[in-house]
Each structure stands twice: as C-alpha cells, then as structure tokens.
Amino acid sequence: LGRKGENQRNEFTFDHVFGPNHNQEDTFAEVTGLVQSALDGYNVCIFAYGQTGSGKTHTMQGPIDPTSEHRGIIPRAMEQVFQTGEEMRDQGWNFEFTASF
C-alpha cells in the first residue's frame, strides 16, 4: 500500500494465524491461557481481524446451539470461567460474576 506509483512493502507479525483447516477446538486451545490470565486478574484482549465474511463472528460466537462442538471462543471461555469458579467455590472462595456483552 502506498501512494499511486510508489512501490511500498509492509511487513506484519502475528502471534498466530488460523487457517481454514483449524476447528473451533483448536482455536480455543490457543487462547485458553488468556482466559486463565483474566481469571488471575490480568487484562487480556482477543482481537479478531479479517475481511468481511472471513469467519470472525463464527470464530468468536459459533452457532446458536450451546452444546455444539462448533461453539466459539466466547461460550467456551464462559464455560472455563464458570468451571473454574465452581472449583474455587469448592475451595472456600466466595465471589460474584458480573458480565455484559
């Protein structure tokens, strides 16, 4: 990209790029550590970037069926949060979850 008539080369680096052969489980396995970091009190961000129609919403949300193996990062992260919460409650922790979407 550049001005008309200019040859300009840009290089970018990414932590990870998921190809068309990756499934939802593979994708979540890559970011599950970020969910744990959020539970540990750190600020985290998962940034989905791509062309229109490239699957960002599908990757983040998945289908409406919450039991589907194709559910996205958001429902899987919520499962991890609530599962960890139950484990912590069993250890005597007391807390309240509040979320917005």
Side-chain angles (χ1 to χ4, degrees):
L1 299 173
R3 294 183 184 178
K4 187 175 181 179
E6 289 183 10
N7 289 329
Q8 183 178 350
R9 182 183 171 131
N10 294 308
E11 292 187 23
F12 301 92
T13 60
F14 303 92
D15 291 335
H16 197 90
V17 176
F18 298 98
N21 295 329
H22 283 90
N23 61 32
Q24 297 286 60
E25 188 175 351
D26 295 336
T27 305
F28 186 70
E30 188 68 30
V31 300
T32 187
L34 293 173
V35 178
Q36 184 59 52
S37 291
L39 289 167
D40 292 340
Y42 294 95
N43 293 324
V44 300
C45 176
I46 298 173
F47 186 75
Y49 180 81
Q51 283 183 275
T52 299
S54 63
K56 298 175 299 293
T57 300
H58 176 75
T59 299
M60 294 305 293
Q61 296 178 341
I64 294 173
D65 180 5
T67 62
S68 171
E69 67 182 37
H70 303 291
R71 62 197 184 286
I73 289 174
I74 295 169
R76 290 172 190 265
M78 296 287 61
E79 288 173 11
Q80 182 177 347
V81 166
F82 292 128
Q83 181 181 3
T84 301
E86 286 300 316
E87 292 168 3
M88 293 176 70
R89 190 169 278 134
D90 292 344
Q91 297 174 13
W93 287 78
N94 188 15
F95 50 85
E96 179 179 313
F97 291 115
T98 303
S100 63
F101 183 76

Coordinates of all heavy atoms in Angstrom, one line a residue:
L1 N 0.8 -1.2 0.0 CA 0.0 0.0 0.0 C 0.9 1.2 0.0 O 1.9 1.3 0.6 CB -0.9 0.0 1.2 CG -1.9 -1.1 1.4 CD1 -2.5 -1.0 2.8 CD2 -2.9 -1.2 0.3
G2 N 0.5 2.2 -0.7 CA 1.2 3.4 -0.7 C 0.6 4.4 -1.7 O -0.5 4.1 -2.2
R3 N 1.2 5.5 -2.0 CA 0.7 6.4 -3.0 C 0.8 5.8 -4.4 O 1.6 5.0 -4.6 CB 1.5 7.7 -2.9 CG 1.3 8.4 -1.6 CD 2.1 9.7 -1.6 NE 1.9 10.4 -0.3 CZ 2.5 11.5 0.0 NH1 3.2 12.2 -0.9 NH2 2.3 12.0 1.1
K4 N 0.0 6.3 -5.2 CA -0.1 5.9 -6.6 C 1.3 6.0 -7.2 O 1.9 7.1 -7.1 CB -1.1 6.7 -7.4 CG -1.3 6.1 -8.7 CD -2.4 6.9 -9.4 CE -2.6 6.3 -10.8 NZ -3.7 7.0 -11.5
G5 N 1.8 5.0 -7.8 CA 3.1 5.0 -8.4 C 4.2 4.6 -7.5 O 5.4 4.4 -8.0
E6 N 4.0 4.5 -6.2 CA 5.0 4.1 -5.3 C 5.0 2.6 -5.0 O 3.9 2.1 -4.8 CB 4.9 4.8 -3.9 CG 5.2 6.3 -4.0 CD 5.1 7.0 -2.6 OE1 5.0 6.2 -1.6 OE2 5.2 8.2 -2.6
N7 N 6.1 2.0 -4.9 CA 6.1 0.6 -4.5 C 6.6 0.6 -3.0 O 7.7 1.0 -2.7 CB 7.1 -0.2 -5.3 CG 6.6 -0.5 -6.7 OD1 5.4 -0.6 -6.9 ND2 7.5 -0.5 -7.7
Q8 N 5.7 0.2 -2.2 CA 6.0 0.1 -0.8 C 5.7 -1.2 -0.2 O 4.6 -1.8 -0.5 CB 5.1 1.2 -0.1 CG 5.4 1.3 1.4 CD 4.6 2.4 2.1 OE1 3.9 3.2 1.4 NE2 4.6 2.4 3.4
R9 N 6.6 -1.8 0.6 CA 6.4 -3.1 1.1 C 6.2 -2.9 2.6 O 7.0 -2.3 3.3 CB 7.6 -3.9 0.8 CG 7.5 -5.3 1.3 CD 8.7 -6.1 1.1 NE 8.6 -7.4 1.8 CZ 8.9 -8.5 1.2 NH1 9.3 -8.6 0.0 NH2 8.8 -9.6 1.9
N10 N 5.2 -3.6 3.1 CA 4.9 -3.6 4.6 C 5.0 -5.0 5.1 O 4.6 -6.0 4.4 CB 3.5 -3.1 4.9 CG 3.3 -1.7 4.5 OD1 4.1 -0.8 4.9 ND2 2.3 -1.3 3.7
E11 N 5.6 -5.2 6.2 CA 5.7 -6.5 6.9 C 5.0 -6.4 8.2 O 5.0 -5.4 8.9 CB 7.2 -6.8 7.1 CG 7.9 -7.1 5.8 CD 9.3 -7.6 6.0 OE1 9.6 -8.2 7.1 OE2 10.2 -7.5 5.1
F12 N 4.3 -7.5 8.5 CA 3.5 -7.6 9.7 C 3.9 -8.9 10.4 O 4.3 -9.9 9.8 CB 2.0 -7.6 9.4 CG 1.5 -6.4 8.7 CD1 1.5 -6.4 7.3 CD2 1.2 -5.3 9.3 CE1 1.1 -5.2 6.6 CE2 0.7 -4.1 8.7 CZ 0.7 -4.1 7.3
T13 N 3.7 -8.9 11.7 CA 3.9 -10.1 12.5 C 2.6 -10.4 13.3 O 1.9 -9.4 13.7 CB 5.1 -10.0 13.5 OG1 4.9 -8.9 14.4 CG2 6.4 -9.7 12.7
F14 N 2.4 -11.6 13.6 CA 1.2 -12.0 14.3 C 1.6 -13.1 15.3 O 2.5 -13.9 15.1 CB 0.1 -12.6 13.3 CG -0.3 -11.7 12.2 CD1 0.4 -11.7 11.0 CD2 -1.3 -10.8 12.4 CE1 0.0 -10.9 10.0 CE2 -1.7 -9.9 11.4 CZ -1.0 -10.0 10.2
D15 N 0.8 -13.1 16.4 CA 1.1 -14.2 17.4 C 0.7 -15.5 16.8 O 1.3 -16.5 17.0 CB 0.3 -13.9 18.7 CG 0.8 -12.8 19.4 OD1 2.0 -12.4 19.3 OD2 0.0 -12.2 20.2
H16 N -0.5 -15.5 16.1 CA -1.0 -16.8 15.5 C -2.0 -16.4 14.4 O -2.7 -15.5 14.5 CB -1.6 -17.6 16.5 CG -1.8 -19.1 16.1 ND1 -0.8 -20.0 16.3 CD2 -2.7 -19.7 15.4 CE1 -1.2 -21.2 15.8 NE2 -2.4 -21.0 15.2
V17 N -2.0 -17.2 13.3 CA -2.9 -17.1 12.3 C -3.6 -18.5 12.1 O -2.9 -19.5 12.0 CB -2.3 -16.7 10.9 CG1 -3.3 -16.7 9.8 CG2 -1.6 -15.3 11.1
F18 N -4.9 -18.5 12.1 CA -5.6 -19.7 12.0 C -6.1 -19.9 10.5 O -6.7 -19.1 10.0 CB -6.8 -19.8 12.9 CG -6.5 -19.7 14.3 CD1 -6.5 -18.4 15.0 CD2 -6.1 -20.8 15.0 CE1 -6.2 -18.3 16.3 CE2 -5.7 -20.7 16.4 CZ -5.7 -19.5 17.0
G19 N -5.7 -21.1 10.0 CA -6.1 -21.4 8.6 C -7.4 -22.0 8.5 O -8.1 -22.3 9.5
P20 N -7.9 -22.3 7.3 CA -9.2 -22.9 7.1 C -9.3 -24.3 7.7 O -10.5 -24.8 7.8 CB -9.4 -22.8 5.6 CG -8.0 -22.7 5.0 CD -7.2 -22.0 6.1
N21 N -8.2 -25.0 7.9 CA -8.3 -26.3 8.4 C -8.4 -26.4 10.0 O -8.5 -27.5 10.5 CB -7.1 -27.1 7.9 CG -7.2 -27.3 6.4 OD1 -8.2 -27.4 5.8 ND2 -6.0 -27.4 5.8
H22 N -8.3 -25.2 10.6 CA -8.4 -25.2 12.1 C -9.9 -25.3 12.5 O -10.7 -24.6 11.9 CB -7.8 -23.9 12.7 CG -6.3 -24.0 12.7 ND1 -5.5 -23.5 11.7 CD2 -5.4 -24.4 13.7 CE1 -4.2 -23.7 12.0 NE2 -4.2 -24.2 13.2
N23 N -10.2 -26.0 13.5 CA -11.6 -26.0 14.0 C -11.7 -25.2 15.3 O -10.7 -24.6 15.8 CB -12.0 -27.5 14.2 CG -11.2 -28.2 15.3 OD1 -10.7 -27.6 16.2 ND2 -11.0 -29.5 15.1
Q24 N -12.9 -25.1 15.8 CA -13.1 -24.2 17.0 C -12.3 -24.7 18.2 O -11.9 -23.9 19.0 CB -14.6 -24.2 17.3 CG -15.5 -23.6 16.2 CD -15.4 -22.1 16.1 OE1 -14.3 -21.6 15.9 NE2 -16.5 -21.4 16.3
E25 N -12.2 -26.0 18.3 CA -11.5 -26.5 19.5 C -10.0 -26.2 19.4 O -9.4 -25.8 20.4 CB -11.6 -28.1 19.6 CG -11.1 -28.7 20.8 CD -11.3 -30.2 20.9 OE1 -12.1 -30.7 20.1 OE2 -10.8 -30.8 21.8
D26 N -9.4 -26.3 18.2 CA -8.0 -25.9 18.0 C -7.8 -24.4 18.4 O -6.8 -24.0 19.0 CB -7.6 -26.0 16.6 CG -7.6 -27.5 16.1 OD1 -7.5 -28.4 17.0 OD2 -7.7 -27.7 14.9
T27 N -8.8 -23.6 17.9 CA -8.7 -22.1 18.1 C -8.8 -21.8 19.6 O -7.9 -21.0 20.2 CB -9.8 -21.4 17.4 OG1 -9.7 -21.8 16.0 CG2 -9.7 -19.9 17.5
F28 N -9.7 -22.4 20.3 CA -9.8 -22.2 21.8 C -8.6 -22.7 22.5 O -8.2 -22.0 23.5 CB -11.1 -22.8 22.4 CG -11.3 -22.3 23.8 CD1 -11.6 -21.0 24.1 CD2 -11.1 -23.2 24.8 CE1 -11.7 -20.6 25.4 CE2 -11.3 -22.9 26.1 CZ -11.6 -21.5 26.4
A29 N -8.1 -23.8 22.1 CA -6.9 -24.3 22.8 C -5.7 -23.3 22.7 O -4.9 -23.2 23.7 CB -6.4 -25.6 22.1
E30 N -5.7 -22.5 21.7 CA -4.6 -21.5 21.6 C -4.9 -20.3 22.5 O -3.9 -19.6 22.9 CB -4.6 -21.0 20.1 CG -3.4 -20.1 19.8 CD -2.1 -20.8 19.8 OE1 -2.0 -22.0 19.6 OE2 -1.1 -20.1 20.2
V31 N -6.1 -20.0 22.9 CA -6.4 -18.8 23.7 C -6.8 -19.1 25.1 O -7.0 -18.2 25.9 CB -7.4 -17.9 23.0 CG1 -7.0 -17.4 21.7 CG2 -8.8 -18.6 22.9
T32 N -6.9 -20.4 25.5 CA -7.4 -20.8 26.8 C -6.5 -20.2 27.9 O -7.0 -19.8 29.0 CB -7.6 -22.3 27.0 OG1 -8.2 -22.6 28.2 CG2 -6.2 -23.0 26.9
G33 N -5.2 -20.0 27.6 CA -4.3 -19.4 28.6 C -4.7 -18.0 28.9 O -4.5 -17.5 30.0
L34 N -5.2 -17.3 27.9 CA -5.6 -15.9 28.1 C -6.8 -15.8 29.0 O -6.9 -14.9 29.8 CB -6.0 -15.2 26.7 CG -4.8 -15.0 25.8 CD1 -5.3 -14.5 24.4 CD2 -3.8 -14.0 26.4
V35 N -7.7 -16.8 28.9 CA -8.9 -16.8 29.8 C -8.4 -17.0 31.2 O -8.8 -16.3 32.2 CB -9.9 -17.9 29.4 CG1 -11.0 -18.0 30.4 CG2 -10.4 -17.7 28.0
Q36 N -7.4 -17.9 31.4 CA -6.9 -18.2 32.7 C -6.2 -16.9 33.3 O -6.3 -16.6 34.4 CB -5.9 -19.3 32.7 CG -5.4 -19.7 34.1 CD -6.5 -20.0 35.1 OE1 -7.3 -20.8 34.9 NE2 -6.5 -19.3 36.3
S37 N -5.5 -16.2 32.4 CA -4.8 -14.9 32.8 C -5.8 -13.9 33.3 O -5.6 -13.2 34.3 CB -4.0 -14.4 31.6 OG -2.9 -15.2 31.4
A38 N -7.0 -13.9 32.6 CA -8.1 -12.9 33.0 C -8.6 -13.4 34.4 O -8.8 -12.5 35.3 CB -9.2 -12.9 32.0
L39 N -8.7 -14.7 34.6 CA -9.1 -15.1 35.9 C -8.1 -14.8 37.0 O -8.5 -14.7 38.2 CB -9.4 -16.6 35.9 CG -10.7 -17.1 35.1 CD1 -10.6 -18.6 34.8 CD2 -11.9 -16.6 35.8
D40 N -6.9 -14.8 36.6 CA -5.8 -14.4 37.6 C -5.7 -12.9 37.8 O -4.8 -12.5 38.6 CB -4.4 -15.0 37.0 CG -4.4 -16.5 37.0 OD1 -5.2 -17.1 37.7 OD2 -3.5 -17.0 36.3
G41 N -6.5 -12.1 37.1 CA -6.5 -10.7 37.4 C -5.8 -9.8 36.4 O -5.8 -8.6 36.5
Y42 N -5.4 -10.4 35.3 CA -4.7 -9.6 34.2 C -5.7 -9.2 33.2 O -6.7 -9.8 33.0 CB -3.6 -10.5 33.5 CG -2.5 -10.8 34.4 CD1 -2.4 -12.0 35.1 CD2 -1.4 -9.9 34.6 CE1 -1.4 -12.4 35.9 CE2 -0.4 -10.2 35.4 CZ -0.3 -11.5 36.1 OH 0.7 -11.8 36.9
N43 N -5.4 -8.0 32.6 CA -6.3 -7.6 31.5 C -5.8 -8.3 30.2 O -4.6 -8.4 29.9 CB -6.1 -6.1 31.2 CG -6.6 -5.3 32.4 OD1 -7.6 -5.6 33.0 ND2 -6.0 -4.2 32.7
V44 N -6.8 -8.8 29.5 CA -6.5 -9.5 28.2 C -7.4 -9.1 27.1 O -8.4 -8.5 27.4 CB -6.6 -11.1 28.4 CG1 -5.6 -11.6 29.5 CG2 -8.0 -11.5 28.7
C45 N -7.0 -9.3 25.9 CA -7.8 -8.9 24.7 C -7.6 -10.0 23.7 O -6.4 -10.3 23.4 CB -7.4 -7.6 24.2 SG -8.3 -7.1 22.7
I46 N -8.7 -10.4 23.1 CA -8.6 -11.3 21.9 C -9.2 -10.5 20.8 O -10.3 -10.0 20.8 CB -9.4 -12.6 22.1 CG1 -8.8 -13.4 23.3 CG2 -9.4 -13.4 20.8 CD1 -9.7 -14.6 23.7
F47 N -8.3 -10.2 19.8 CA -8.7 -9.3 18.7 C -8.9 -10.2 17.4 O -7.9 -10.8 17.0 CB -7.6 -8.3 18.5 CG -7.9 -7.2 17.5 CD1 -8.7 -6.2 17.8 CD2 -7.3 -7.3 16.2 CE1 -9.0 -5.2 16.9 CE2 -7.5 -6.3 15.3 CZ -8.4 -5.3 15.6
A48 N -10.1 -10.2 16.9 CA -10.4 -10.9 15.7 C -10.4 -10.0 14.5 O -11.2 -9.0 14.5 CB -11.7 -11.6 15.8
Y49 N -9.5 -10.2 13.6 CA -9.4 -9.3 12.5 C -9.4 -10.1 11.2 O -8.9 -11.2 11.1 CB -8.0 -8.6 12.6 CG -7.7 -7.6 11.5 CD1 -8.3 -6.3 11.5 CD2 -6.9 -8.0 10.4 CE1 -8.0 -5.4 10.5 CE2 -6.7 -7.1 9.4 CZ -7.2 -5.8 9.4 OH -7.0 -4.9 8.4
G50 N -10.1 -9.5 10.2 CA -10.1 -10.1 8.9 C -11.1 -9.5 8.0 O -11.9 -8.6 8.4
Q51 N -11.1 -10.0 6.8 CA -12.1 -9.5 5.8 C -13.5 -9.8 6.2 O -13.8 -10.7 6.9 CB -11.8 -10.1 4.4 CG -10.7 -9.6 3.7 CD -10.6 -10.3 2.3 OE1 -10.0 -11.3 2.2 NE2 -11.1 -9.6 1.3
T52 N -14.4 -9.0 5.6 CA -15.9 -9.3 5.8 C -16.1 -10.7 5.2 O -15.6 -11.1 4.2 CB -16.7 -8.3 5.0 OG1 -16.4 -7.0 5.5 CG2 -18.2 -8.6 5.1
G53 N -16.8 -11.5 6.0 CA -17.2 -12.8 5.6 C -16.1 -13.9 5.9 O -16.2 -15.0 5.4
S54 N -15.0 -13.5 6.6 CA -13.9 -14.4 6.8 C -14.1 -15.3 8.0 O -13.3 -16.2 8.2 CB -12.6 -13.7 6.9 OG -12.6 -12.8 8.1
G55 N -15.1 -15.1 8.8 CA -15.4 -16.0 9.9 C -15.1 -15.5 11.3 O -15.1 -16.3 12.2
K56 N -15.0 -14.2 11.4 CA -14.7 -13.7 12.8 C -15.8 -13.9 13.7 O -15.6 -14.4 14.9 CB -14.4 -12.2 12.7 CG -13.2 -11.8 11.8 CD -13.1 -10.3 11.6 CE -14.3 -9.6 11.0 NZ -14.5 -9.9 9.6
T57 N -17.0 -13.6 13.3 CA -18.2 -13.8 14.2 C -18.3 -15.3 14.5 O -18.6 -15.7 15.7 CB -19.4 -13.3 13.6 OG1 -19.3 -11.9 13.4 CG2 -20.6 -13.5 14.5
H58 N -18.2 -16.2 13.5 CA -18.3 -17.6 13.8 C -17.2 -18.1 14.7 O -17.5 -18.9 15.6 CB -18.2 -18.4 12.5 CG -18.2 -19.8 12.6 ND1 -19.4 -20.5 12.9 CD2 -17.2 -20.8 12.6 CE1 -19.1 -21.8 13.1 NE2 -17.8 -22.0 12.9
T59 N -16.0 -17.6 14.6 CA -14.9 -18.0 15.5 C -15.2 -17.5 16.9 O -15.0 -18.3 17.9 CB -13.6 -17.4 15.0 OG1 -13.3 -17.9 13.7 CG2 -12.5 -17.7 15.9
M60 N -15.7 -16.3 17.1 CA -15.9 -15.8 18.4 C -17.2 -16.4 19.1 O -17.2 -16.6 20.3 CB -16.0 -14.3 18.4 CG -14.7 -13.6 18.0 SD -13.3 -14.1 19.0 CE -13.7 -13.4 20.6
Q61 N -18.3 -16.5 18.3 CA -19.6 -17.0 18.9 C -20.0 -18.4 18.5 O -20.5 -19.1 19.4 CB -20.7 -16.0 18.4 CG -20.5 -14.6 18.9 CD -21.6 -13.7 18.3 OE1 -22.3 -14.0 17.4 NE2 -21.8 -12.6 19.0
G62 N -19.8 -18.8 17.3 CA -20.2 -20.1 16.9 C -21.7 -20.1 16.6 O -22.3 -19.1 16.6
P63 N -22.3 -21.3 16.5 CA -23.7 -21.4 16.3 C -24.5 -21.1 17.5 O -24.0 -21.1 18.6 CB -23.9 -22.8 15.8 CG -22.8 -23.6 16.4 CD -21.6 -22.6 16.5
I64 N -25.8 -21.0 17.4 CA -26.7 -20.7 18.5 C -26.7 -21.9 19.5 O -26.8 -21.7 20.7 CB -28.1 -20.3 18.0 CG1 -28.1 -19.0 17.2 CG2 -29.1 -20.2 19.1 CD1 -29.3 -18.6 16.5
D65 N -26.6 -23.1 19.0 CA -26.7 -24.3 19.8 C -25.5 -24.3 20.8 O -24.4 -24.5 20.4 CB -26.7 -25.5 19.0 CG -26.8 -26.8 19.8 OD1 -26.9 -26.8 21.0 OD2 -26.7 -27.9 19.1
P66 N -25.8 -24.1 22.1 CA -24.7 -24.1 23.1 C -24.0 -25.4 23.3 O -23.0 -25.5 24.0 CB -25.4 -23.6 24.4 CG -26.8 -24.0 24.2 CD -27.1 -24.0 22.8
T67 N -24.6 -26.5 22.8 CA -24.0 -27.8 23.0 C -23.2 -28.2 21.8 O -22.5 -29.3 21.8 CB -25.1 -28.9 23.3 OG1 -25.9 -29.0 22.2 CG2 -25.9 -28.5 24.5
S68 N -23.2 -27.4 20.8 CA -22.5 -27.8 19.5 C -21.0 -27.8 19.7 O -20.4 -27.0 20.5 CB -22.8 -26.7 18.5 OG -22.0 -26.9 17.3
E69 N -20.4 -28.8 19.0 CA -18.9 -28.8 19.0 C -18.3 -27.7 18.3 O -17.1 -27.4 18.4 CB -18.4 -30.2 18.4 CG -18.7 -30.3 17.0 CD -18.3 -31.6 16.4 OE1 -18.4 -32.6 17.0 OE2 -17.8 -31.6 15.2
H70 N -19.1 -26.9 17.6 CA -18.7 -25.8 16.8 C -18.8 -24.4 17.6 O -18.6 -23.4 17.0 CB -19.4 -25.7 15.5 CG -19.3 -26.9 14.7 ND1 -18.1 -27.3 14.1 CD2 -20.2 -27.9 14.3 CE1 -18.3 -28.4 13.4 NE2 -19.5 -28.8 13.6
R71 N -19.2 -24.5 18.9 CA -19.3 -23.3 19.6 C -18.0 -22.5 19.6 O -16.9 -23.1 19.6 CB -19.9 -23.5 21.0 CG -19.0 -24.3 21.9 CD -19.8 -24.9 23.1 NE -19.0 -25.6 24.0 CZ -18.5 -26.8 23.8 NH1 -18.8 -27.4 22.7 NH2 -17.7 -27.4 24.6
G72 N -18.1 -21.2 19.7 CA -16.9 -20.4 19.5 C -16.1 -20.1 20.8 O -16.4 -20.7 21.9
I73 N -15.3 -19.1 20.7 CA -14.4 -18.7 21.8 C -15.2 -18.2 23.0 O -14.9 -18.5 24.1 CB -13.3 -17.7 21.4 CG1 -12.3 -18.3 20.4 CG2 -12.6 -17.0 22.5 CD1 -11.3 -17.4 19.8
I74 N -16.2 -17.3 22.8 CA -16.9 -16.7 23.9 C -17.6 -17.8 24.7 O -17.5 -17.8 25.9 CB -17.9 -15.7 23.3 CG1 -17.1 -14.5 22.7 CG2 -18.8 -15.2 24.5 CD1 -18.0 -13.5 22.0
P75 N -18.5 -18.7 24.1 CA -19.1 -19.7 25.0 C -18.1 -20.6 25.7 O -18.3 -21.0 26.8 CB -20.1 -20.4 24.1 CG -19.7 -20.0 22.7 CD -19.0 -18.8 22.8
R76 N -17.0 -21.0 25.0 CA -16.0 -21.8 25.6 C -15.3 -21.1 26.7 O -15.0 -21.7 27.8 CB -15.0 -22.3 24.6 CG -15.6 -23.3 23.6 CD -14.6 -23.6 22.4 NE -15.2 -24.3 21.4 CZ -15.1 -25.6 21.2 NH1 -14.5 -26.4 22.1 NH2 -15.7 -26.2 20.2
A77 N -15.0 -19.8 26.6 CA -14.4 -19.0 27.6 C -15.3 -19.0 28.9 O -14.9 -19.1 30.0 CB -14.0 -17.7 27.1
M78 N -16.6 -18.8 28.6 CA -17.6 -18.7 29.7 C -17.6 -20.0 30.5 O -17.7 -20.1 31.7 CB -19.0 -18.3 29.2 CG -19.0 -16.9 28.6 SD -18.9 -15.5 29.8 CE -17.4 -15.6 30.6
E79 N -17.6 -21.1 29.7 CA -17.6 -22.4 30.4 C -16.3 -22.5 31.3 O -16.4 -23.0 32.4 CB -17.5 -23.5 29.3 CG -18.8 -23.8 28.5 CD -18.6 -24.8 27.4 OE1 -17.5 -25.4 27.3 OE2 -19.5 -24.8 26.6
Q80 N -15.2 -22.1 30.8 CA -14.0 -22.2 31.6 C -14.1 -21.3 32.8 O -13.7 -21.7 33.9 CB -12.8 -21.7 30.7 CG -11.4 -21.8 31.5 CD -10.3 -21.5 30.6 OE1 -10.4 -21.4 29.4 NE2 -9.1 -21.3 31.2
V81 N -14.6 -20.1 32.7 CA -14.8 -19.2 33.8 C -15.7 -19.8 34.9 O -15.3 -19.9 36.0 CB -15.3 -17.8 33.3 CG1 -15.8 -17.0 34.5 CG2 -14.3 -17.1 32.5
F82 N -16.8 -20.3 34.5 CA -17.8 -20.9 35.4 C -17.2 -22.2 36.0 O -17.4 -22.5 37.2 CB -19.1 -21.1 34.8 CG -19.8 -19.8 34.5 CD1 -20.3 -19.5 33.3 CD2 -19.9 -18.8 35.5 CE1 -21.0 -18.3 33.0 CE2 -20.5 -17.6 35.2 CZ -21.0 -17.3 33.9
Q83 N -16.5 -23.0 35.2 CA -16.0 -24.2 35.8 C -14.9 -23.9 36.8 O -14.8 -24.5 37.9 CB -15.4 -25.1 34.7 CG -14.7 -26.4 35.2 CD -14.1 -27.2 34.0 OE1 -14.1 -26.8 32.9 NE2 -13.6 -28.4 34.4
T84 N -14.0 -22.9 36.5 CA -13.0 -22.5 37.5 C -13.7 -21.9 38.7 O -13.2 -22.2 39.8 CB -12.1 -21.5 36.8 OG1 -11.5 -22.1 35.7 CG2 -11.0 -21.0 37.8
G85 N -14.7 -21.2 38.5 CA -15.5 -20.6 39.6 C -16.0 -21.7 40.6 O -15.9 -21.6 41.8
E86 N -16.6 -22.7 40.0 CA -17.1 -23.8 40.8 C -15.9 -24.5 41.6 O -16.1 -24.8 42.8 CB -17.8 -24.9 39.9 CG -19.1 -24.4 39.5 CD -20.1 -24.1 40.6 OE1 -20.1 -24.9 41.6 OE2 -20.8 -23.1 40.5
E87 N -14.8 -24.7 40.9 CA -13.6 -25.3 41.6 C -13.2 -24.4 42.8 O -12.8 -24.9 43.8 CB -12.5 -25.5 40.6 CG -12.8 -26.6 39.6 CD -11.8 -26.6 38.4 OE1 -10.8 -25.8 38.4 OE2 -12.0 -27.4 37.5
M88 N -13.2 -23.1 42.5 CA -12.7 -22.2 43.6 C -13.7 -22.1 44.7 O -13.4 -22.0 45.9 CB -12.5 -20.8 43.0 CG -11.3 -20.8 42.0 SD -11.1 -19.2 41.2 CE -10.5 -18.2 42.6
R89 N -15.0 -22.2 44.4 CA -16.1 -22.2 45.4 C -15.9 -23.4 46.3 O -16.1 -23.3 47.5 CB -17.4 -22.2 44.7 CG -18.6 -21.9 45.7 CD -19.9 -21.6 45.0 NE -19.9 -20.2 44.6 CZ -20.2 -19.7 43.4 NH1 -20.6 -20.5 42.5 NH2 -20.2 -18.4 43.2
D90 N -15.6 -24.6 45.7 CA -15.3 -25.8 46.5 C -14.2 -25.7 47.4 O -14.1 -26.4 48.4 CB -15.1 -27.0 45.5 CG -16.3 -27.4 44.7 OD1 -17.4 -26.9 45.1 OD2 -16.2 -28.1 43.7
Q91 N -13.3 -24.7 47.1 CA -12.1 -24.5 48.0 C -12.4 -23.4 49.0 O -11.5 -22.9 49.7 CB -10.9 -24.1 47.1 CG -10.4 -25.2 46.2 CD -9.3 -24.7 45.3 OE1 -8.7 -23.7 45.5 NE2 -9.1 -25.5 44.3
G92 N -13.6 -22.9 49.1 CA -14.0 -21.9 50.1 C -14.0 -20.4 49.6 O -14.3 -19.5 50.4
W93 N -13.8 -20.2 48.3 CA -13.8 -18.8 47.8 C -15.3 -18.4 47.6 O -16.2 -19.2 47.4 CB -13.2 -18.8 46.4 CG -11.7 -18.9 46.4 CD1 -10.9 -20.0 46.6 CD2 -10.8 -17.8 46.3 NE1 -9.6 -19.7 46.6 CE2 -9.5 -18.3 46.4 CE3 -10.9 -16.4 46.1 CZ2 -8.3 -17.5 46.3 CZ3 -9.8 -15.6 46.0 CH2 -8.5 -16.2 46.1
N94 N -15.5 -17.1 47.8 CA -16.8 -16.5 47.7 C -16.7 -15.3 46.7 O -15.9 -14.4 47.0 CB -17.4 -16.1 49.0 CG -18.9 -15.7 48.9 OD1 -19.5 -16.0 47.9 ND2 -19.3 -15.1 50.0
F95 N -17.5 -15.3 45.7 CA -17.4 -14.2 44.7 C -18.7 -14.2 43.9 O -19.5 -15.0 44.0 CB -16.2 -14.5 43.8 CG -16.1 -15.8 43.2 CD1 -16.8 -16.2 42.0 CD2 -15.4 -16.8 43.8 CE1 -16.8 -17.4 41.5 CE2 -15.4 -18.1 43.3 CZ -16.1 -18.4 42.2
E96 N -18.8 -13.1 43.1 CA -19.9 -12.9 42.2 C -19.5 -12.6 40.8 O -18.5 -11.8 40.6 CB -20.7 -11.7 42.8 CG -22.0 -11.4 42.0 CD -22.7 -10.2 42.6 OE1 -22.9 -10.3 43.9 OE2 -23.1 -9.3 41.9
F97 N -20.1 -13.2 39.8 CA -19.8 -12.9 38.4 C -20.7 -11.8 37.9 O -21.9 -11.8 38.2 CB -20.0 -14.1 37.5 CG -19.0 -15.2 37.7 CD1 -19.3 -16.4 38.2 CD2 -17.6 -15.0 37.4 CE1 -18.4 -17.4 38.4 CE2 -16.7 -16.0 37.6 CZ -17.1 -17.2 38.1
T98 N -20.2 -10.8 37.2 CA -20.9 -9.8 36.5 C -20.3 -9.7 35.1 O -19.1 -9.6 35.0 CB -20.8 -8.5 37.2 OG1 -21.3 -8.6 38.6 CG2 -21.7 -7.4 36.6
A99 N -21.2 -9.7 34.1 CA -20.7 -9.6 32.8 C -21.7 -8.8 31.9 O -22.9 -8.6 32.2 CB -20.6 -11.0 32.2
S100 N -21.2 -8.2 30.8 CA -22.0 -7.6 29.8 C -21.5 -8.0 28.5 O -20.3 -8.3 28.3 CB -22.0 -6.1 30.0 OG -20.7 -5.6 29.8
F101 N -22.4 -7.9 27.5 CA -22.0 -8.3 26.1 C -22.6 -7.4 25.1 O -23.7 -7.0 25.2 CB -22.4 -9.8 25.9 CG -22.0 -10.3 24.6 CD1 -20.7 -10.7 24.3 CD2 -22.9 -10.4 23.6 CE1 -20.3 -11.2 23.1 CE2 -22.6 -10.9 22.3 CZ -21.3 -11.3 22.1

